[in-house]
């Protein structure tokens, strides 16, 4: 049997799509030898590997209106537009309102990596389950720390930002470092997506004055992203990747804090999975 990897892209609220597909994997007991997540995709992977069906969905629908989850108040109090400590500590700790089942995650034999970006060098960093422990999910926070919108997360005295800055769709890393023969990739954008240059350059440049390499990476992120984006479809043509991408264009973005719209994207993930289920099974077994 081939060694199969799972790659889950980030994208903020757009990751409600991957939450739907991951729940269908749980329903059908689809397992992977290796998994890697970026930004919100890393959090979605954690719940999936812990076997917690619909936990991700709750964070896109039930929890996102809670004080501390997102907004100006969070930004002014914590430095994070998304309340990373609220989401991944207050809510997710063993005594939180919606805890991550860390013991089950730790016991899962699937190798799990989380991508973050070194704020000093701009290079990707890859963390594993060994870098996590009960109620210590700093590597996930680091992977989700959007530059300028969030403060960097410190891990062993090194600041880190969102993994999507440096390795937004780490399929090649999974094939090489994860020693996978093939990968299933869940992206958060439709297949015809075209990324434009980042806006608000003056804003993020000012907020990232201590981290010029990150500002530089963001300046060219539209180029970097599209290289990764095109690469996964090249791998698909070669038979080395199976790509899930939203089959419909839903008008929502990274900061879309609308539970109903997020639910539609989750449901689209469920629907796309059903439509691709037979083809996926063939990919996984041959």
């Amino acid at each position: 049997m081939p060694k199969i990897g799972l790659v889950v892209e980030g994208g903020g609220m757009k990751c409600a799509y991957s939450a739907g597909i991951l729940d269908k994997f749980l329903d059908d007991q689809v397992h992977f030898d290796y998994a890697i997540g970026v930004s919100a995709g890393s959090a979605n992977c954690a719940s999936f590997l812990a076997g917690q069906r619909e936990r991700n969905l709750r964070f896109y629908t039930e929890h996102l209106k809670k004080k501390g989850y997102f907004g100006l108040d969070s930004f002014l109090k914590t430095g994070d537009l998304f309340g990373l400590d609220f989401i991944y500590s207050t809510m997710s700790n063993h005594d939180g309102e919606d805890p991550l089942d860390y013991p089950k995650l730790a016991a899962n034999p699937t190798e799990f990596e989380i991508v973050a970006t070194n704020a000093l060098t701009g290079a990707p960093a890859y963390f594993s389950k060994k870098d996590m422990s009960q109620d210590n999910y700093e590597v996930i926070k680091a992977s989700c720390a959007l530059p300028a919108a969030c403060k960097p997360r410190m891990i062993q005295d090194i600041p880190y930002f969102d993994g999507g800055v440096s390795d937004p769709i780490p399929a090649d890393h999974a094939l090489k470092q994860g020693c996978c023969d093939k990968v299933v990739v869940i992206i958060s954008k439709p297949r015809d997506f075209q990324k434009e240059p980042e806006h608000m350059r003056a804003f993020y440049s000012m907020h990232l004055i201590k981290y010029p390499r990150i500002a530089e990476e963001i300046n060219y992120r539209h180029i970097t992203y599209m290289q990764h984006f095109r690469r996964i479809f090249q791998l698909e043509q070669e038979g080395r990747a199976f790509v899930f991408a939203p089959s419909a264009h839903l008008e929502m973005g990274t900061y879309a804090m609308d539970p109903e719209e997020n639910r539609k994207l989750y449901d689209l993930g469920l629907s796309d999975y059903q439509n691709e289920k037979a083809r996926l099974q063939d990919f996984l077994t041959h």
Side-chain angles (χ1 to χ4, degrees), residues 91 232 264:
M91 295 288 292
I232 60 168
K264 289 179 183 178

Side-chain angles (χ1 to χ4, degrees), residues 11 30 37 44 47-48 53 84 95 102 114 120 126 137-138 151-152 174 195 198 204 217-218 226-227 243 262-263 279:
V30 178
N44 281 3
S47 295
F48 165 65
R53 194 184 194 285
L84 301 182
D95 56 353
Y102 176 76
I114 300 104
L120 303 179
Y126 305 94
Y137 310 126
E138 288 301 310
K151 64 179 183 290
K195 187 167 182 58
E198 299 291 338
Y204 65 71
E217 290 291 328
I218 296 175
M226 291 308 299
Q227 289 173 340
V243 181
N262 290 350
R263 179 68 200 225
R279 198 166 67 88

Side-chain angles (χ1 to χ4, degrees), residues 185-257:
V185 184
I186 309 176
I187 59 176
S188 55
K189 292 89 172 172
R191 288 173 175 264
D192 60 355
F193 177 77
Q194 291 290 325
K195 187 167 182 58
E196 301 296 328
E198 299 291 338
H199 302 297
M200 302 177 69
R201 178 173 293 193
F203 172 79
Y204 65 71
S205 296
M206 178 183 67
H207 281 269
L208 296 170
I209 193 167
K210 292 183 179 179
Y211 307 106
R213 292 301 302 272
I214 297 298
E216 183 179 356
E217 290 291 328
I218 296 175
N219 287 340
Y220 295 97
R221 188 165 183 266
H222 59 294
I223 298 172
T224 302
Y225 183 84
M226 291 308 299
Q227 289 173 340
H228 283 74
F229 194 75
R230 287 189 290 267
R231 174 61 175 157
I232 60 168
F233 297 117
Q234 178 186 346
L235 291 171
E236 185 180 49
Q237 288 294 319
E238 295 171 0
R240 301 173 68 196
F242 188 101
V243 181
F244 281 103
S247 60
H249 290 262
L250 299 182
E251 296 300 323
M252 61 177 297
T254 301
Y255 306 104
M257 308 303 289

Side-chain angles (χ1 to χ4, degrees), residues 144-207:
C144 295
L146 291 167
C150 297
K151 64 179 183 290
R153 309 304 299 203
M154 302 298 295
I155 300 174
Q156 296 183 348
D157 298 324
I158 297 175
Y160 292 94
F161 279 116
D162 192 297
V165 174
S166 55
D167 196 356
I169 313 175
D172 279 323
H173 178 84
L175 290 166
K176 181 179 180 181
Q177 189 67 23
C179 300
C180 300
D181 300 300
K182 300 192 290 186
V183 289
V184 174
V185 184
I186 309 176
I187 59 176
S188 55
K189 292 89 172 172
R191 288 173 175 264
D192 60 355
F193 177 77
Q194 291 290 325
K195 187 167 182 58
E196 301 296 328
E198 299 291 338
H199 302 297
M200 302 177 69
R201 178 173 293 193
F203 172 79
Y204 65 71
S205 296
M206 178 183 67
H207 281 269

